Amino acid sequence: MTNEIPLPTTREQRVLDGGALRALAHPLRVEIYDLISQYGPQTASTLAAMTGESSGATSYHLRALAKHDLIREVEGQGTARERWWERPRGGVQIGSPEAVKTPAGRAATQVVLTEFLNRRHQQLMDYVGASLRENGVWDDSAMITTATIHLTAAQAADVVAQLQAVIDGAVDRYKDQRGEGVVPVTVHADVFALPEKGR
């Protein structure tokens, strides 16, 4: 893995600095941030119900995330007692060149990436388990696939750019869509070099 996680896109990207990474480097904060990203604006109470934590704990972590502009209060919604929080629009790049220059920055990056990837894996396993229990197979709107191909670094970068363009196009078309039958859908794509010798 290189020191930077490249996101080749024309979409606006916020590169998280060391302070934001350290603020996010907590399992519950990653979960809260991810839930807001996936399900839209939330309150401390709704997040408490989703995470199994107390609303006092989720409120504390919401304030820590807001301090570093990872989330913001939704204007014109909620009350002084029940504030709604959202994620600013645009992508986020984890693993900035500046942040990984220090041991603390590398450690924070590792925690954040590990928590996000663990959440993605658990969501995938939950989906597969529920689909097999309920239907015997996943539906036609899902894709779970792995392919191994042999590429140069330039070819891999081209594949990454093509995949990112497809994802960006879908985000542009459907990000704010609401209505009957519309549910949050996660899309992840992984492209990375395997070790030279299998392990």
Side-chain angles (χ1 to χ4, degrees):
M1 177 183 288
T2 63
N3 285 345
E4 184 175 358
I5 296 167
L7 296 175
T9 178
T10 57
R11 182 175 306 286
E12 182 180 331
Q13 295 283 334
R14 175 182 176 191
V15 179
L16 297 187
D17 61 21
L21 276 169
R22 286 189 297 277
L24 191 54
H26 182 284
L28 183 54
R29 289 184 192 168
V30 170
E31 184 176 9
I32 287 169
Y33 184 77
D34 209 27
L35 289 168
I36 291 172
S37 296
Q38 292 178 328
Y39 294 98
Q42 301 294 325
T43 67
S45 297
T46 63
L47 288 164
M50 295 167 95
T51 62
E53 299 288 335
S54 71
S55 59
T58 56
S59 180
Y60 170 79
H61 290 296
L62 284 164
R63 288 191 305 274
L65 293 170
K67 183 178 177 183
H68 290 275
D69 299 319
L70 291 160
I71 60 169
R72 63 183 177 208
E73 193 169 354
V74 179
E75 289 184 29
Q77 190 172 347
T79 65
R81 289 185 55 113
E82 192 73 304
R83 300 160 70 183
W84 286 83
W85 299 93
E86 66 183 355
R87 223 192 91 193
R89 293 181 79 74
V92 174
Q93 181 176 334
I94 299 168
S96 74
E98 290 306 310
V100 297
K101 285 182 179 177
T102 66
R106 286 191 297 276
T109 300
Q110 183 70 43
V111 168
V112 172
L113 286 174
T114 298
E115 289 301 320
F116 272 121
L117 292 173
N118 282 340
R119 280 188 52 75
R120 293 294 175 272
H121 179 72
Q122 190 56 56
Q123 287 174 330
L124 176 61
M125 297 309 295
D126 290 347
Y127 172 76
V128 169
S131 295
L132 292 175
R133 278 192 309 275
E134 295 166 14
N135 311 317
V137 69
W138 39 89
D139 62 61
D140 292 337
S141 66
M143 179 179 85
I144 302 171
T145 185
T146 299
T148 302
I149 50 181
H150 299 263
L151 302 170
T152 66
Q155 291 166 334
D158 182 56
V159 170
V160 168
Q162 290 178 54
L163 291 170
Q164 190 66 55
V166 170
I167 294 168
D168 286 350
V171 169
D172 289 342
R173 285 189 301 278
Y174 306 120
K175 177 72 174 169
D176 297 319
Q177 180 173 242
R178 302 286 184 265
E180 186 176 334
V182 176
V183 297
V185 172
T186 187
V187 178
H188 26 127
D190 303 316
V191 178
F192 57 91
L194 296 172
E196 288 199 26
K197 302 285 185 192
R199 25 178 180 149

